[in-house]
Amino acid sequence: MISRLPRIGDLLRRRKKPAEDGSIIVDAARKATGGKARTRIVMTMAVFFTIYSTIAGRLVYLGLQNPDNSGGPQSRVTASRPDIVDRNGEVLATDIKTASLFAEPRRIVDADEAIEKLSTVLPEIDYEQTYHKLKSGTGFVWLQRQLTPKQQADIMALGIPGLGFRTEKRRFYPSGETSSYIVGLTNIDNQGISGMEKYIDDQGLTDLQASGLAVARDLKPVKLSIDLRVQHIVRDEVATGMERFHAIAAGAVVLNVKTGEVLAMASVPDFDPNNPYNAQDKDRLNRMSAGLYEMGSTFKSFTTAMALDSGKVTLESRFDASRPIRIGRQTIHDFHAKGRVLSVPEVFIYSSNIGSAREAEAVGIEGHREFLHRLGVLEKMQTELPEVARPTEPKVWKQVNSITIAFGHGVSTTPLQTAVGCAALMNGGFLIQPTFLPRTAEQAMAVAKKVVKEKTVEGMRYLYALNAEKGSGKNARVPGFRVGGKTGTAEKVVNGRYSKDKNFNAFVAAFPMDDPQYIVLTIADEPKPEKPGMGATAASNAGVMAANIIRRAASMLGVKPDFSHENGATLVSYQ
């Protein structure tokens, strides 16, 4: 029995081995199965993570992209702008809220049907362009900016899926075309593109808008030097004058000679800034500051002042105007020739081309050119309004140039600069650059430049008053307001030659002549006789317009009428 025991033990051990081996196999199988499961879970999680990452990345990408590949609309509300007001606080420009129509093309079910419905409210809509927008598959496109409240309500009533509205700001101009060239315009994004609107942007408003700091409540109104009451009168008179005298254009400016402030300025044809569909037309030009013209006999103001200021000529000086001046191929003659020797006052009131040429000869070519530059009429004007033209002059001044420039031919400048130069001859001899912002007399003197002597100013005041009494300025007289001035009738250049049928007329008036406060300069471009048999010189049109402006606006400008003298000439003496 004992001898058999080891074999039984061995047998028992052999029987246990399969069991032990089996458990080991089971454990290994279990371990293998668990590893595969974990691998599948990790792989599944990786797949889902990849999918969601892709979706998230795509959403971020789309969010950063401009929805409209053509440089389309921004999602922000249009930036605010400050109000623009006149010197008395009357609003000239302000922001108003408006609705703009947009579409989400991905949500548009039927583009053709949507356009057909929209055209019932917006008949001007471009079918082809709108169709391409609605079929573009983008997330956002503008369809129509700045709708009226009625248009918005009517479109909402159509119930077209995929359309919506955004509130924007647009500019509203209560005075309409009255001050359109001065106030200017903004574009569809409420950014200034002309006039004082552009000036305001250039002074830092654009940077404020870009930084998000242009908040409406923080923007103070911008006050201009313009008096809306006077501006209305000026615009009304030039529009009436253009029609009455059958001109292609007309304009006027009222300038404070003591401060350089522009109180009013208008040019017609003009435009309505609330509906500027024709603002870019060729004939829409601010002729007062951006138009260049040969100013004709108004330049004789500068010629005579130059002669007096040089000390070589006095009011007692005399010039031979008995016969025309021939120089080269040109012959200089007088429109109303007297055929005799003329005194300086006679040269001025008879508007003698020959006498003015003799005055220029007395000063000399270099002195003539220097004086006109000193008065600023041949320099680019420095003012806030962006629309300013640069005057033209001969590259080399010869004798013939000086002679023709003496009576306003051969150089071109702007009417506003002519008014500024004449103001210097009335205000004590100071050149003060014009401004469209309020300016006190003290502030003006701080930037003023002395350009002529006090004695010269006295002489020019006398001549202006005398011309209104006995010369071509009679039509500009206004009882009680002591008006003086000078006419200018210039032949226009057509195809390189002076035309006998097309004139550019101007009249520069100053008042009250005992102590001039204001310059009024009016222009009429290619006027025709008011009636058959009548003339079309500056005295008969530009002079009449100036008188009408002064008659209506003088009291608003603070000038009190004085009826103790019949005309201004007796109030002014020259010693």
Side-chain angles (χ1 to χ4, degrees):
M1 291 291 290
I2 297 173
S3 60
R4 293 181 58 186
L5 286 173
R7 284 189 290 208
I8 294 173
D10 292 340
L11 180 62
L12 292 172
R13 285 194 293 270
R14 290 192 192 103
R15 287 178 178 176
K16 289 179 180 179
K17 282 183 181 179
E20 291 173 355
D21 293 343
S23 65
I24 292 172
I25 293 172
V26 169
D27 289 342
R30 287 176 179 173
K31 289 180 180 179
T33 302
K36 291 179 180 179
R38 282 194 298 272
T39 301
R40 284 195 296 268
I41 292 172
V42 171
M43 291 180 64
T44 302
M45 290 175 63
V47 170
F48 277 103
F49 179 78
T50 303
I51 293 172
Y52 283 114
S53 297
T54 303
I55 294 172
R58 184 62 176 169
L59 289 174
V60 171
Y61 172 79
L62 292 174
L64 293 175
Q65 294 301 303
N66 194 330
D68 189 350
N69 292 331
S70 62
Q74 299 178 357
S75 61
R76 65 177 178 85
V77 175
T78 313
S80 299
R81 300 183 63 80
D83 287 354
I84 299 177
V85 300
D86 83 333
R87 66 189 302 111
N88 301 312
E90 296 293 330
V91 176
L92 301 174
T94 189
D95 280 347
I96 60 173
K97 290 183 179 180
T98 184
S100 291
L101 176 66
F102 70 87
E104 298 173 277
R106 294 169 185 166
R107 295 181 55 204
I108 298 296
V109 178
D110 189 331
D112 291 292
E113 181 184 9
I115 297 173
E116 287 180 8
K117 288 184 176 180
L118 278 177
S119 64
T120 62
V121 180
L122 306 172
E124 74 280 5
I125 197 168
D126 187 305
Y127 186 97
E128 183 177 354
Q129 184 182 42
T130 305
Y131 180 83
H132 287 308
K133 285 184 177 181
L134 296 183
K135 298 295 287 185
S136 64
T138 57
F140 185 107
V141 292
W142 286 121
L143 294 184
Q144 188 85 344
R145 308 283 291 275
Q146 300 183 351
L147 301 172
T148 66
K150 185 178 185 306
Q151 288 174 325
Q152 182 185 12
D154 291 344
I155 293 173
M156 290 178 67
L158 296 175
I160 305 174
L163 299 187
F165 301 92
R166 282 186 177 170
T167 300
E168 294 191 290
K169 292 187 180 73
R170 65 167 293 182
R171 214 59 167 155
F172 175 64
Y173 303 92
S175 60
E177 64 274 356
T178 300
S179 54
S180 56
Y181 285 120
I182 297 175
V183 177
L185 275 175
T186 58
N187 60 17
I188 196 72
D189 294 313
N190 219 24
Q191 298 168 330
I193 57 175
S194 69
M196 294 302 289
E197 293 278 30
K198 186 175 189 303
Y199 169 78
I200 292 170
D201 280 20
D202 293 342
Q203 297 307 299
L205 179 63
T206 300
D207 295 335
L208 285 176
Q209 291 174 337
S211 62
L213 298 177
V215 182
R217 65 176 179 271
D218 297 331
L219 297 175
K220 296 182 179 179
V222 176
K223 180 178 288 189
L224 304 187
S225 61
I226 302 303
D227 187 321
L228 185 57
R229 302 169 303 171
V230 181
Q231 179 69 28
H232 170 76
I233 291 170
V234 169
R235 199 269 173 186
D236 181 59
E237 286 298 337
V238 298
T240 301
M242 185 178 75
E243 182 178 358
R244 175 181 173 183
F245 303 118
H246 316 291
I248 64 171
V253 61
V254 178
L255 182 73
N256 185 320
V257 304
K258 306 289 188 180
T259 65
E261 293 172 296
V262 177
L263 277 299
M265 188 175 73
S267 174
V268 290
D270 52 18
F271 61 92
D272 182 356
N274 295 309
N275 184 27
Y277 68 94
N278 59 349
Q280 298 299 320
D281 289 358
K282 188 168 65 174
D283 64 337
R284 264 60 181 183
L285 169 70
N286 182 6
R287 288 167 167 79
M288 301 307 294
S289 66
L292 290 176
Y293 303 98
E294 294 186 348
M295 294 299 296
S297 294
T298 56
F299 251 54
K300 291 172 183 173
S301 297
F302 306 137
T303 304
T304 301
M306 171 188 68
L308 294 175
D309 204 61
S310 70
K312 300 177 180 179
V313 174
T314 68
L315 286 184
E316 288 72 35
S317 299
R318 302 172 70 82
F319 295 98
D320 184 5
S322 59
R323 60 181 59 87
I325 297 175
R326 290 183 174 83
I327 179 167
R329 298 180 180 180
Q330 298 191 44
T331 301
I332 310 302
H333 56 80
D334 286 341
F335 186 68
H336 294 295
K338 300 300 178 182
R340 60 179 175 84
V341 174
L342 301 176
S343 67
V344 169
E346 287 177 324
V347 169
F348 195 80
I349 65 174
Y350 297 146
S351 200
S352 170
N353 293 341
I354 299 171
S356 297
R358 300 298 187 196
E359 290 177 340
E361 286 180 333
V363 175
I365 298 173
E366 288 305 315
H368 192 181
R369 183 176 184 275
E370 185 276 332
F371 185 82
L372 292 182
H373 277 277
R374 192 197 317 166
L375 245 62
V377 293
L378 296 184
E379 302 284 349
K380 185 173 182 181
M381 186 168 52
Q382 301 300 313
T383 189
E384 299 86 11
L385 208 64
E387 295 79 22
V388 172
R390 182 181 293 277
T392 62
E393 62 174 308
K395 291 183 177 180
V396 178
W397 281 44
K398 299 180 180 179
Q399 185 67 27
V400 65
N401 301 121
S402 182
I403 287 176
T404 58
I405 291 169
F407 53 84
H409 286 74
V411 293
S412 296
T413 190
T414 69
L416 179 56
Q417 283 177 272
T418 304
V420 171
C422 290
L425 306 180
M426 296 290 116
N427 67 9
F430 294 95
L431 177 64
I432 305 173
Q433 292 293 346
T435 180
F436 291 85
L437 300 174
R439 179 196 283 164
T440 65
E442 292 74 19
Q443 291 170 333
M445 290 308 297
V447 297
K449 178 182 178 182
K450 185 75 170 180
V451 288
V452 295
K453 303 169 186 175
E454 186 66 35
K455 191 73 171 177
T456 303
V457 173
E458 293 175 5
M460 292 309 300
R461 289 181 180 180
Y462 169 78
L463 292 175
Y464 266 40
L466 184 66
N467 192 46
E469 180 187 5
K470 298 181 179 180
S472 59
K474 292 180 180 179
N475 286 350
R477 289 185 299 180
V478 180
F481 291 107
R482 298 98 70 196
V483 179
K486 184 72 185 78
T487 53
T489 301
E491 295 177 347
K492 292 184 68 174
V493 176
V494 179
N495 297 325
R497 306 188 60 160
Y498 286 105
S499 170
K500 299 293 183 182
D501 303 321
K502 296 181 178 181
N503 292 336
F504 180 84
N505 293 353
F507 189 89
V508 56
F511 73 100
M513 284 312 303
D514 47 332
D515 182 19
Q517 302 294 314
Y518 298 98
I519 288 284
V520 176
L521 188 144
T522 55
I523 63 170
D525 195 354
E526 296 186 23
K528 307 295 187 298
E530 184 179 358
K531 296 178 182 178
M534 294 181 64
T537 60
S540 61
N541 40 65
V544 173
M545 287 161 44
N548 290 340
I549 290 171
I550 295 170
R551 184 179 296 108
R552 296 175 62 184
S555 59
M556 296 179 185
L557 294 169
V559 179
K560 296 180 180 180
D562 181 0
F563 297 98
S564 62
H565 299 83
E566 185 177 350
N567 55 65
T570 58
L571 294 175
V572 180
S573 62
Y574 183 83
Q575 302 297 330

